[in-house]
Amino acid sequence: MGTWALRADEAENAILTRHLQPLWLLPGTALGVISWPPTARDRAFARWHYWWQAHLLDCMVDAAVRAPNPERRRRISAMIRTHRIRNMGKWTNNYYDDMAWLALALERAGNLDGVPRRTKAIEALVDEIFNAWDHESGGGIPWRKKDDFFNTPSNGPAAILLARVGKLNRAEETADWINGRLRDPERGLIYDGVRGDGKFVRNIYTYCQGVVLGAETELAIRTGDVRHARRVQELVGAVAQHLAPRGIIKTGGGGDGGLFQGILARYLALVATKLPTTSESNQQTRRIARGIVLRSAETVWRNHLDAPGGRCLVRIGRRLQRTRMRGARRRKTRWCGEGVGSAGAGLVRSTVRVDADGSRSILRVVVATRPAVIRQV
């Protein structure tokens, strides 16, 4: 087993030890507690975060792809079943981005041997997303039902999903809509979204870049249209220039922000391994994406914290999280908090380093979801 596979196993074990628990003591269930150390409210799953759980499931699929075994397959099936129980017997909710994330994870899980394919669940989620397309407003799907904010975090994963389930025309429409409406003409990065009154929300988030890379890569694979590969080339270059100084992905803070860098890392990994090698430009883009993922992952690993239940590789928020981890052995790191959201996206996000002179700095890093695969490119 290679170095990266061993590290991925350690990260997986830390998540399983500290986060994965039965739902309401029900046998055969498993869901991720969203914080560590957990509050009583979080242990009872009063808060559970639908979309964080979808990313956690996606990472459990990564582990089963990397090293298949019956225990991993059973765990994935239990998590899928539990997600529906906690969502009050439904697969859907009111947020199109949430539903796209879950459908992506379910679709990948269903491709594993020994994991039942949830065809009806995937179809229900795909139908919700497909039918949300707003013809009257010129295209795009909104962030949530009865809303007029059309954003990249909904349309990007929707395009990935639609491409993977064979709805290529709508997937291409969605990718073209994002490129035409939400691409910054100066930097080449993707904006957060646009409101119904035409006002743009020009915030730049790492996960917006990630989902567009994923969509365009899937379409480059499936259609062979050079425009999709060209967009991947341009966006990877923009990410390298603006969002990955010295080849290390910038941090985005805690809460939902903890997932953002992991999502970018996941889809940079997709570029590095799946973008067609039909041109020298594509091959160079693969090399750039691979380098960002590996440098980010290595930086995180070098600055981890050994903690009860396994290595703690993450920290919540831009400000120092004052959560003392009893029994933790310091390794260039003094304080650490952790959330399953970061685990769902890439198993780790960022740490605070305390240097020998007492100065503090936030490492802007995120590990890839499957660096062991990227290493072999």
Side-chain angles (χ1 to χ4, degrees):
M1 184 180 291
T3 299
W4 282 113
L6 288 170
R7 291 175 176 181
D9 282 348
E10 285 203 48
E12 179 194 13
N13 183 65
I15 295 303
L16 298 179
T17 302
R18 287 196 287 263
H19 291 280
L20 210 66
Q21 294 184 17
L23 172 66
W24 304 326
L25 302 180
L26 294 172
T29 61
L31 210 61
V33 177
I34 64 171
S35 62
W36 186 79
T39 65
R41 188 165 179 249
D42 291 345
R43 282 197 301 269
F45 294 104
R47 298 191 308 162
W48 70 294
H49 296 336
Y50 179 113
W51 82 291
W52 292 20
Q53 305 294 336
H55 284 286
L56 178 59
L57 175 61
D58 225 0
C59 271
M60 294 298 105
V61 174
D62 291 338
V65 170
R66 184 181 71 249
N69 65 44
E71 179 58 31
R72 286 189 169 116
R73 291 192 289 269
R74 283 193 295 271
R75 184 181 302 124
I76 288 167
S77 294
M79 291 175 65
I80 292 171
R81 182 169 58 252
T82 309
H83 196 286
R84 187 181 186 187
I85 295 171
R86 180 59 187 83
N87 200 44
M88 303 307 170
K90 302 183 299 179
W91 295 110
T92 61
N93 72 2
N94 290 327
Y95 293 82
Y96 292 111
D97 53 348
D98 285 12
M99 290 189 280
W101 293 125
L102 179 60
L104 285 169
L106 291 176
E107 194 275 334
R108 291 187 65 226
N111 293 328
L112 298 172
D113 291 336
V115 176
R117 187 170 182 82
R118 298 282 184 157
T119 303
K120 290 184 178 180
I122 296 168
E123 288 177 350
L125 292 162
V126 169
D127 286 348
E128 288 271 2
I129 291 164
F130 187 88
N131 293 329
W133 185 261
D134 194 323
H135 296 277
E136 294 181 1
S137 298
I141 65 173
W143 169 47
R144 61 185 177 184
K145 296 178 180 180
K146 299 180 181 179
D147 201 295
D148 68 348
F149 181 43
F150 296 80
N151 67 350
T152 303
S154 291
N155 286 274
I160 298 169
L161 173 66
L162 293 167
R164 288 180 180 177
V165 300
K167 296 184 181 294
L168 291 177
N169 288 341
R170 178 56 55 79
E172 286 201 288
E173 278 186 282
T174 307
D176 291 343
W177 180 87
I178 295 172
N179 186 71
R181 293 281 281 162
L182 300 181
R183 183 176 177 273
D184 181 346
E186 295 182 0
R187 293 173 292 178
L189 297 170
I190 306 299
Y191 296 144
D192 186 35
V194 59
R195 302 196 183 279
D197 61 4
K199 183 179 180 181
F200 287 94
V201 178
R202 301 177 189 272
N203 297 0
I204 298 295
Y205 296 116
T206 48
Y207 76 144
C208 291
Q209 322 313 311
V211 294
V212 172
L213 287 173
E216 297 289 2
T217 300
E218 293 288 354
L219 289 168
I221 295 167
R222 287 166 169 76
T223 70
D225 193 315
V226 296
R227 78 179 189 274
H228 299 300
R230 184 177 64 251
R231 290 173 187 170
V232 173
Q233 295 165 16
E234 293 171 352
L235 187 51
V236 167
V239 167
Q241 180 179 356
H242 300 289
L243 300 179
R246 299 181 300 281
I248 299 170
I249 300 171
K250 289 182 177 182
T251 188
D256 284 350
L259 284 81
F260 293 177
Q261 294 73 44
I263 292 168
L264 174 56
R266 174 179 290 282
Y267 291 110
L268 282 170
L270 183 72
V271 172
T273 57
K274 298 298 184 182
L275 185 68
T277 57
T278 51
S279 69
E280 176 56 35
S281 297
N282 280 7
Q283 294 179 43
Q284 176 63 17
T285 298
R286 285 170 61 121
R287 288 191 289 269
I288 294 170
R290 174 183 180 272
I292 294 172
V293 171
L294 289 173
R295 280 191 290 273
S296 298
E298 184 62 45
T299 306
V300 169
W301 192 261
R302 286 202 309 266
N303 293 278
H304 69 262
L305 177 68
D306 294 323
R311 298 176 189 271
C312 178
L313 303 171
V314 303
R315 177 217 173 257
I316 292 178
R318 290 185 177 88
R319 293 175 298 174
L320 198 59
Q321 180 74 18
R322 295 284 177 178
T323 303
R324 187 76 161 185
M325 299 204 318
R326 295 183 180 88
R329 188 174 72 228
R330 297 175 190 176
R331 186 178 182 274
K332 296 186 180 179
T333 308
R334 181 171 295 167
W335 304 100
C336 186
E338 184 175 49
V340 75
S342 60
L347 292 181
V348 299
R349 49 187 141 111
S350 62
T351 61
V352 174
R353 183 175 62 201
V354 181
D355 297 320
D357 62 359
S359 61
R360 299 184 308 210
S361 58
I362 297 178
L363 299 175
R364 298 180 170 184
V365 290
V366 170
V367 76
T369 49
R370 286 184 289 170
V373 177
I374 303 167
R375 176 64 77 179
Q376 298 167 5
V377 173

